[in-house]
Amino acid sequence: MSTDLHTTMDPTKMGVGRSIAVLTSGGDAQGMNAAVRATVRVGLYTGAKVFFVHEGYQGLVDGGDHIRPATWESVSMMLQLGGTVIGSARCKDFMCREGRMKAACNLVKLGITNLCVIGGDGSLTGANQFRTDWGGLLADLVKDGKITQEEAKKSSHLNIVGMVGSIDNDFCGTDMTIGTDSALHRIIEVVDAITTTAQSHQRTFILEVMGRHCGYLALVSALSCGADWVFIPEMPPDDGWENHLCRRLADQRSRGSRLNVIIVAEGAITRDGKAITSDQIKKLVTERLGFDTRTTILGHVQRGGTPSAFDRVLGSRMGVEAVMALLEATPDTPACVVSLSGNQAVRLPLMECVQVTKDVTAAMASGRFEDAVKLRGKSFANNWNTYKLLAHINPPDVKSNINVAVMNIGAPCAGMNAAVRAAVRMGIIEGHSMFAVYEGFDGLAQGQIEPISWNTVSGWTGKGGSMLGTKRTLPGKLLEKITLNIAKFNIHALVIIGGFEAYVGGLELLQAREQYEELCIPFVVIPATVSNNVPGSDFSIGADTALNTITTTCDRIKQSAAGTKRRVFIVETMGGYCGYLATMAGLAAGADAAYIYEDKFSIKDLTANVAHLVQKMKTTVKRGLILRNENCNANYTTEFLFNLYSEEGKGIFDCRLNVLGHMQQGGTPTPFDRNFGTKMGAKSILWLTDKLKECCRHGRIFANTSNSACVLGMRKRGLTFQAIADLKDDTDFEHRIPKTQWWLKIRPIMKILAKYDIKLDTSEHVDMEHVLSKKGNHWK
């Protein structure tokens, strides 16, 4: 959270005497409702009056019943709904001064001087224009006798804060816009469905996705499914692309592939600005290659459906930050947009972001495509470069004489295979010979090691679990056999993909270097576990998929409770001692409480939670959802909580118990985990390649420094390599968790949104940043 002038102010008093209006404008996006809900509830929490503006700017202009007070209960059961419950509309009236005067009059009459706008760049530009005109609009309204001088004085300044809701992720300054992750879910669901039928008939599928001016959806979808080709507006194909595309598809078929996938952004163009259509590509492939080709245009399917867990958490966090930004703003504060940078909520000047977004369009229009990719931010450029490497470059003729082994350690999780695929293919591109180690450190000790090829990992991005097989065994007692096999197979580097065991195993290998020279090779640990408990990384591969599984299940449970009324569900989640899944699922599903090991609780807290639910049953929201992390407390077990709530709720509510179990580890990986795994796998090989050059002496690899054994992790705003040895001090080995965990700061948000009387920590200061200095920080 953030603060400026209010470091000592009670957050529950910040909004007293003030009014906030929230509206959604432009195209709808999944997750907008989460942002609206958070804005309303946190606004009410601060003591402010909060108003819905129905039908976007049109509602602002029309006034009357379109601007209505919002209550705590009026935003209940909104989280899981797609679109926007308060409506959105294109509004020509607001574009002219007369329309903005009507809107200003409506706000002044209701005493509203704080406006939260959730929409795309056009909607946010309109908001800034409204703010710029505000003083003049009020003067004209006084002159026309529509408001009094006193009313004008009370409403002399309008604060504007924006949140970007757009499935295209086309707004510069934020890593992700609200709705993008959900749209990727829809696309990948279709790709997975198409893949099964296409392989049955050896077909080529052309998939057209949204993105008139931005190719983000197309690009990340292509990365996430391993598409053969992607067309995006920011980087048109070179002249003669038709021949290149046909050669590539034919080459894939000759290698034994039964399926070709081509993804096209609706705004795809050639170098000279002519449209590239899916029909045009279909005609080319059919006539030149004779392949059975089908076209699917996704259209508004991408806007629909339930928002993903990521978008719900994103919308909720953005809503909280937006309210704080509004209440802290002064007349000199520029209109800002709340953005995501890595895992951090940041504030950026609205019009700087709008300007850079327009600069991208201008760069494309003038043929400066390299500039367009750079202006999109480092994240977009990294996605593009990773895609090109993994999809378009043939393995080199000259080999490096380096052997790299890839292995999975710990429990299986979705996204592991995407990381393996990327590591294998990037290794082959670098000229290395790649080896697969089956069944973890057991397999390394027993010699279950085989060469793995480009084609072997084809189609692995969408497969859950671990294709290599994985075990929890640590290497400590197997070192003799492991070193013999490292020597026997002449392994020069290791990629270890897994959970806490992978991290501890890496430490054991590092410590054993003194005893075994064979272990003096560079290796990298890539965190992959649903528990998200590996030191050195804010996110682990697999956690997003597990989080979506829990959230979807909780949605169904809440729906059941809404039908029967007066019912409380107690749900146990995985995570070991790490409360990440329980906390984030609690925020995404709208839970009343989430019990975790890191946030100690007593019988007093349990009593308060029961009392909270008793009060809740007196409202129109007659249901409850309680999450419990599996190892949060040895005595307050899931069964104990169920019995306690059942006993105390007699005659008021009844209870049901759900233990989600291993379903949280299964399923196909989400787009986030596919993309994250792909980037981590590719980056690990590039790092190892550089490290191998550093460690090579007279043709031999000898790596004995601590920085040659690293964890590759997401830290705040970027992917970084950290020496495994340096992470020991931040590790609670007994409970298998890092000592510092960023997401614990988000827990109060969940409690506030569930209407608990707690204090929001506003001590962490967030300054207004500048988008032009940020562009190098994007990661997603």
Side-chain angles (χ1 to χ4, degrees), residues 92-112:
K92 289 185 179 177
D93 292 344
F94 193 76
M95 293 179 185
C96 65
R97 187 177 174 80
E98 190 182 339
R100 291 196 291 276
M101 269 184 73
K102 287 180 183 175
C105 185
N106 291 328
L107 291 183
V108 170
K109 290 295 182 185
L110 291 167
I112 299 167

Side-chain angles (χ1 to χ4, degrees), residues 201-496:
H201 298 277
Q202 285 194 294
R203 282 185 176 143
T204 297
F205 264 91
I206 301 161
L207 203 70
E208 184 180 302
V209 302
M210 282 184 168
R212 195 165 292 121
H213 304 293
C214 180
Y216 185 89
L217 287 178
L219 178 55
V220 175
S221 299
L223 261 179
S224 299
C225 72
D228 297 287
W229 199 283
V230 65
F231 292 92
I232 61 171
E234 290 88 347
M235 187 55 74
D238 294 329
D239 294 339
W241 61 269
E242 296 90 344
N243 296 331
H244 188 180
L245 172 61
C246 290
R247 265 200 318 275
R248 172 144 189 80
L249 297 182
D251 183 46
Q252 288 293 90
R253 284 291 170 94
S254 69
R255 288 180 178 184
S257 173
R258 295 180 60 83
L259 160 72
N260 298 119
V261 176
I262 300 166
I263 295 184
V264 192
E266 61 181 336
I269 52 171
T270 61
R271 291 257 154 189
D272 55 1
K274 291 177 184 169
I276 297 176
T277 66
S278 45
D279 285 342
Q280 181 186 343
I281 300 164
K282 179 182 177 182
K283 190 175 181 223
L284 171 73
V285 174
T286 307
E287 290 180 358
R288 290 254 195 117
L289 300 174
F291 288 176
D292 187 1
T293 307
R294 297 285 190 276
T295 300
T296 301
I297 299 172
L298 288 189
H300 280 70
V301 164
Q302 294 155 90
R303 286 198 189 280
T306 300
S308 66
F310 184 97
D311 273 329
R312 298 186 203 193
V313 173
L314 177 63
S316 299
R317 291 181 68 191
M318 298 296 100
V320 175
E321 190 63 38
V323 171
M324 292 297 149
L326 281 170
L327 298 181
E328 291 165 14
T330 68
D332 299 324
T333 310
C336 81
V337 60
V338 179
S339 300
L340 181 75
S341 183
N343 66 20
Q344 295 184 305
V346 297
R347 301 174 190 176
L348 301 170
L350 173 57
M351 292 318 292
E352 278 190 25
C353 298
V354 169
Q355 186 54 53
V356 178
T357 304
K358 287 178 178 175
D359 290 346
V360 176
T361 309
M364 287 191 284
S366 58
R368 293 181 290 112
F369 299 111
E370 296 285 348
D371 288 346
V373 170
K374 284 178 188 169
L375 285 164
R376 281 275 180 236
K378 194 175 178 183
S379 163
F380 192 95
N382 283 345
N383 280 327
W384 175 245
N385 291 330
T386 303
Y387 174 76
K388 278 197 303 181
L389 281 171
L390 293 174
H392 282 259
I393 294 181
N394 290 321
D397 297 327
V398 181
K399 295 285 184 184
S400 67
N401 296 320
I402 292 291
N403 298 330
V404 180
V406 184
M407 60 199 299
N408 292 160
I409 310 296
C413 68
M416 273 184 163
N417 296 321
V420 172
R421 171 188 175 271
V424 167
R425 289 198 168 179
M426 188 60 78
I428 291 167
I429 287 161
E430 290 290 307
H432 310 324
S433 296
M434 299 302 295
F435 286 82
V437 179
Y438 296 93
E439 309 301 334
F441 285 118
D442 275 342
L444 191 58
Q446 292 161 16
Q448 291 177 260
I449 305 164
E450 291 178 2
I452 188 166
S453 68
W454 185 280
N455 282 350
T456 306
V457 294
S458 180
W460 278 26
T461 48
K463 291 183 177 174
S466 167
M467 300 294 286
L468 297 182
T470 180
K471 287 190 176 176
R472 294 180 181 273
T473 313
L474 292 171
K477 295 177 181 176
L478 305 169
L479 288 170
E480 198 75 46
K481 290 180 177 178
I482 284 172
T483 52
L484 286 172
N485 280 321
I486 285 175
K488 178 182 175 183
F489 289 90
N490 199 19
I491 292 168
H492 302 108
L494 270 177
V495 179
I496 304 168

Side-chain angles (χ1 to χ4, degrees), residues 602-661:
S602 66
I603 195 67
K604 283 184 181 176
D605 299 300
L606 297 177
T607 305
N609 294 155
V610 171
H612 167 82
L613 285 170
V614 168
Q615 289 303 311
K616 193 177 180 185
M617 295 302 154
K618 295 175 183 176
T619 71
T620 57
V621 188
K622 300 181 190 301
R623 67 186 170 277
L625 177 66
I626 305 291
L627 300 183
R628 180 190 176 275
N629 166 249
E630 58 185 351
N631 288 344
C632 67
N633 189 294
N635 295 313
Y636 297 140
T637 63
T638 305
E639 194 171 343
F640 173 89
L641 291 184
F642 170 69
N643 291 335
L644 174 72
Y645 275 83
S646 296
E647 181 63 30
E648 295 298 318
K650 270 183 182 173
I652 303 164
F653 57 79
D654 62 350
C655 285
R656 294 291 185 274
L657 178 64
N658 282 48
V659 178
L660 300 186

Side-chain angles (χ1 to χ4, degrees), residues 39-94:
T39 304
V40 168
R41 290 193 169 176
V42 176
L44 294 172
Y45 165 82
T46 65
K49 286 182 182 176
V50 186
F51 292 83
F52 289 134
V53 180
H54 291 266
E55 310 308 332
Y57 284 120
Q58 193 63 56
L60 208 60
V61 173
D62 294 343
D65 280 348
H66 287 97
I67 307 175
R68 291 178 231 159
T71 65
W72 199 274
E73 291 167 40
S74 64
V75 291
S76 183
M77 289 299 277
M78 279 175 64
L79 270 173
Q80 71 273 32
L81 301 177
T84 164
V85 168
I86 59 174
S88 180
R90 309 286 179 188
C91 178
K92 289 185 179 177
D93 292 344
F94 193 76

